[in-house]
Each structure stands twice: as C-alpha cells, then as structure tokens.
Amino acid sequence: MPQVPDLLTMLKSGVHFGHKLSKRHPKMEPFIFTSKNGFHIINIEETQTRLQAALAFVEKVVLNGGTILFLGTKKQAQPIIRKYAEACGMPFVVERWLGGTFTNFAAISKLTKKYRSLKEQKARGDLEKYTKKERLDFDREIQKLEKVVGGIAEMNRVPEAIFVCDIKKEKTAVREAIRKNVPIVALCDTNTNPDLVTYPIPSNDDAIKSIELMTQLIAAAVAAGQAAKRAQPAAA
C-alpha cells in the first residue's frame, strides 16, 4: 500500500483549504480543524486516517480482481483523472457522466460495443469501401463515442468501486452508485455530505495539487493491488 503523505506534503498541496464558512455542510463538522479569513480549514490528521482506510480498501478490491472506476468531470480534474486511470489501467469518465452507467449498464454496454466495433473496422480498413462522406460520418461517430464512452470502452461490468473527485459535481453518479451498492471512495470538501460516501477522504476537491496528490495515491493503491495479485500464483 502506498505511504500516506506527511502533514507538510498535504499542506503544500493545499489539501487543508475548505470552502467559505457559509457553505459548510454540517456533516463535515468532525473533519474541520478551524476557520481562517472566512474559510474552513480541514483537519488533515483526519485526512491521513481516512486516506489510509481508503487506500487499503482500493488495494484489496484490486487484489481480489475488482475494477475501480475513476470519475472527475470538472475542468481541473479531467487531465489528472485520465492520466492516473490510464497509468494503472482502470476505466475513467472525464467528459460527462452518462445517466444509467450503473443503473442501466446494458444500454451503456451497447454503446461501448458499437464504439469498439467501429474502431476495429477502421483499423482493419473495412470502412474504406464506403464513400468519402460516409467515412466522414463514421469518423464523427467514433469521435462522439470516444468522448462519452472512450474511457469505459473495456469495462464489461459494473465496477466493484468508484473513485470520485467531487461528489457535489458528480451527484448523479453518486446516486447511481448508492442505488447499485457500489462502494464510493471520494474527496469530501467542507461543502459536501460525507455520509453519502463509503470511504470519505476529507480534502480540498478544487485545487489541482490536492486533486493530483489524492488521485496519484489511489492509482498507486491500484498498482499495489495489481502487483500483489500477480505475486499470488508464485507464492502459492
């Protein structure tokens, strides 16, 4: 399991900066240390404790052959979520959450199959027999599907868990995960309800450095689970 960062590393990444006092969610009270200049300051010792539990859970899920879906559609999170999900070979959503991704997975599967089929046909040159206009239409369709399902193209079942950057922004996904009993690991800023999350990580969910630090750790926990899984046959 990756090592939980020390307090100084978290401070340098701005993990401790919460929202304005007026935006405080009462359920976040146990994770708030103090306030300064009209903003809440997160208790990053609590962050360390909760982060350790979240990382252990992620590693265990992957060790048992499970999948973690990475989700972050806010602008500053998109490149970070994509980068670390791709690095550890996990599915991701960075453009728009398609309603029904969990609750109507059969419909989503049809889209991913169509996307994979078109890409394979193009790679084989099967689309060359069509007219220039028809090929252009196929290219547009591939681009459109890439945007909505490209990151989950290889996801053949509802994942065993989901990592969410901002649960307010991704409220539809959170509702679907709760409905389908998919455990949620998520950054919880001072304006969110941590009770919605299975493994809340009290953290700034807006600052790029904070998002990157936490996402990198989740990806490292995935990698640790993958390594432990590969080592199992050898140990046996």
Side-chain angles (χ1 to χ4, degrees):
M1 189 175 83
Q3 190 172 353
V4 171
D6 57 37
L7 299 180
L8 185 59
T9 301
M10 288 193 179
L11 288 169
K12 284 181 177 176
S13 298
V15 171
H16 58 301
F17 289 122
H19 282 267
K20 288 180 179 178
L21 303 185
S22 59
K23 292 189 174 181
R24 176 187 68 89
H25 194 289
K27 293 288 180 70
M28 276 300 288
E29 192 65 43
F31 307 119
I32 294 172
F33 176 63
T34 187
S35 60
K36 189 176 180 181
N37 300 327
F39 289 84
H40 278 116
I41 303 296
I42 293 167
N43 183 345
I44 51 177
E45 288 185 346
E46 279 287 344
T47 304
Q48 286 180 316
T49 302
R50 296 301 181 123
L51 180 58
Q52 188 147 17
L55 295 176
F57 168 73
V58 167
E59 184 175 339
K60 186 179 178 184
V61 167
V62 176
L63 171 62
N64 292 330
T67 298
I68 312 281
L69 173 62
F70 285 55
L71 170 62
T73 63
K74 64 199 314 181
K75 195 174 181 182
Q76 65 268 47
Q78 287 175 327
I80 297 168
I81 292 290
R82 176 189 283 268
K83 173 185 170 183
Y84 287 104
E86 287 181 338
C88 65
M90 286 292 155
F92 61 89
V93 174
V94 294
E95 290 291 340
R96 179 172 68 87
W97 179 264
L98 284 181
T101 298
F102 286 172
T103 52
N104 189 12
F105 188 72
I108 302 301
S109 288
K110 286 179 184 175
L111 286 178
T112 57
K113 282 173 187 170
K114 183 179 181 183
Y115 169 67
R116 291 198 307 269
S117 174
L118 283 171
K119 280 193 75 175
E120 285 163 9
Q121 287 178 69
K122 186 178 180 180
R124 288 196 305 262
D126 293 353
L127 303 181
E128 293 303 313
K129 62 187 176 185
Y130 294 96
T131 66
K132 188 176 179 182
K133 183 186 179 303
E134 285 171 330
R135 290 200 305 273
L136 189 62
D137 287 341
F138 282 127
D139 284 341
R140 284 180 182 145
E141 182 74 0
I142 290 169
Q143 285 171 9
K144 180 185 168 187
L145 288 168
E146 162 72 38
K147 207 167 183 180
V148 292
V149 297
I152 58 169
E154 304 302 324
M155 194 173 79
N156 55 18
R157 64 181 188 273
V158 173
E160 279 67 32
I162 181 170
F163 168 63
V164 185
C165 174
D166 179 342
I167 61 171
K168 273 183 87 74
K169 168 82 172 169
E170 316 297 354
K171 58 183 183 291
T172 305
V174 169
R175 277 200 299 266
E176 288 194 25
I178 291 168
R179 193 169 155 194
K180 297 299 286 183
N181 294 316
V182 176
I184 304 166
V185 177
L187 306 188
C188 288
D189 213 325
T190 56
N191 64 333
T192 65
N193 179 4
D195 287 358
L196 297 174
V197 178
T198 324
Y199 290 92
I201 305 168
S203 173
N204 181 339
D205 65 9
D206 291 309
I208 289 173
K209 284 185 178 179
S210 175
I211 296 169
E212 177 135 28
L213 176 65
M214 296 302 169
T215 308
Q216 184 178 11
L217 287 163
I218 295 294
V222 169
Q226 290 166 336
K229 191 172 189 299
R230 285 193 300 271
Q232 275 182 334

